[in-house]
């Protein structure tokens, strides 16, 4: 009886000590938190055109990709534009993928490779490096950040941008972003983590 009581106390203690980290490393966890939703099943192509795949309209600053297509993802309904929802869900589909220097495929991504591949799916071609990505779009103040913005860091101890992610959530003064980290691959991290809080540099709006 004494051993059972000690075991129960130990279980309660360990449960209370579990980390509540904001890092998200899997699609399952992202789905639970409402950041990612599983893709919808493929729609049936018209009988008179079974070989032609519907094209994704090219996006511009004025076009928000309101035309749905068979590759669409379904995400929760909020005030974020349809295209931004698509971009976030497309990037989140790669949660758990490995880091690979120069990588732009699910076999492995580097940080800019993940952004490059995600935006390219919607015919938006970004520069290939994080430092060049930081030169395009509009630089945004921290109080105007929105989902879908690119967030940049200087993590190499030098005064040069070398890391990029995409904003997926904003909670007061905390920004959550998806990126490919050298240690854990594609994950969702937070600017509340000391490493990223210290190295945070700027946010750019591409859309």
């Amino acid at each position: 009886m004494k051993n059972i009581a000690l075991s129960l106390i130990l279980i309660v203690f360990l449960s209370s000590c579990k980390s509540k980290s904001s890092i998200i490393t899997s699609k399952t966890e992202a789905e639970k938190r409402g950041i990612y939703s599983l893709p919808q099943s493929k729609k049936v192509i018209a009988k008179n055109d079974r070989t032609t795949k519907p094209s994704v309209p090219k996006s511009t600053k004025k076009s928000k990709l309101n035309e749905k297509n068979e590759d669409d993802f379904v995400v929760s309904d909020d005030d974020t534009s349809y295209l931004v929802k698509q971009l976030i869900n497309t990037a989140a589909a790669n949660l758990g993928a490995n880091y690979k220097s120069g990588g732009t495929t699910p076999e492995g991504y580097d940080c800019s490779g993940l952004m490059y591949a995600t935006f390219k799916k919607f015919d938006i071609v970004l520069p290939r490096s994080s430092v060049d990505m930081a030169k395009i779009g509009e630089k945004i103040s921290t109080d105007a950040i929105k989902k879908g913005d690119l967030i940049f860091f200087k993590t190499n101890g030098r005064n040069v941008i070398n890391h990029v992610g995409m904003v997926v959530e904003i909670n007061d003064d905390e920004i959550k972003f998806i990126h490919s980290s050298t240690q854990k691959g594609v994950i969702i991290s937070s600017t509340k983590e000391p490493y990223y809080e210290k190295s945070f540099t700027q946010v750019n709006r591409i859309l």
Side-chain angles (χ1 to χ4, degrees):
M1 196 70 176
K2 186 177 179 181
N3 288 339
I4 294 174
L6 287 172
S7 297
L8 288 172
I9 292 171
L10 182 60
I11 290 170
V12 171
F13 175 77
L14 290 174
S15 297
S16 65
C17 293
K18 282 185 178 179
S19 171
K20 295 183 180 179
S21 170
S22 58
I23 298 175
I24 299 175
T25 59
S26 70
K27 286 184 282 188
T28 301
E29 190 176 356
E31 189 176 8
K32 287 179 181 178
R33 299 197 192 186
I35 294 173
Y36 170 75
S37 295
L38 291 172
Q40 67 183 24
S41 58
K42 298 288 186 181
K43 291 189 286 188
V44 178
I45 300 175
K47 290 182 180 179
N48 61 352
D49 187 9
R50 292 184 177 275
T51 59
T52 304
K53 180 179 177 182
S55 61
V56 180
K58 288 192 175 182
S59 174
T60 66
K61 200 165 186 179
K62 293 183 179 179
S63 173
K64 295 300 183 182
L65 191 61
N66 291 317
E67 297 295 328
K68 291 190 176 183
N69 62 84
E70 71 171 41
D71 287 326
D72 282 355
F73 293 106
V74 180
V75 293
S76 59
D77 186 24
D78 56 25
D79 61 354
T80 307
S81 77
Y82 181 70
L83 175 57
V84 169
K85 293 177 186 179
Q86 295 266 45
L87 288 166
I88 290 173
N89 220 53
T90 298
N94 293 292
L95 283 166
N98 293 326
Y99 177 88
K100 182 180 179 181
S101 179
T104 59
T105 71
E107 293 181 358
Y109 296 94
D110 61 18
C111 64
S112 56
L114 177 63
M115 296 300 102
Y116 178 85
T118 298
F119 279 78
K120 188 177 180 182
K121 182 176 176 65
F122 301 97
D123 291 337
I124 303 170
V125 181
L126 301 180
R128 184 56 189 84
S129 69
S130 56
V131 68
D132 287 332
M133 287 181 188
K135 297 174 183 176
I136 66 171
E138 178 186 358
K139 196 172 178 179
I140 300 298
S141 62
T142 53
D143 60 350
I145 294 171
K146 292 183 179 180
K147 295 178 183 180
D149 291 341
L150 295 185
I151 184 168
F152 297 92
F153 302 86
K154 297 175 182 176
T155 65
N156 56 5
R158 295 184 293 141
N159 195 33
V160 178
I161 288 172
N162 69 320
H163 193 66
V164 61
M166 180 167 59
V167 176
V168 298
E169 192 175 320
I170 305 102
N171 296 317
D172 297 323
D173 60 343
E174 178 185 28
I175 303 166
K176 292 183 180 179
F177 58 97
I178 188 167
H179 64 128
S180 184
S181 70
T182 55
Q183 298 297 319
K184 298 181 180 179
V186 180
I187 59 174
I188 292 174
S189 297
S190 167
T191 53
K192 286 293 187 182
E193 297 169 46
Y195 181 74
Y196 294 112
E197 186 174 34
K198 182 181 178 181
S199 58
F200 169 72
T201 304
Q202 69 186 60
V203 173
N204 286 28
R205 183 157 299 150
I206 305 301
L207 304 175

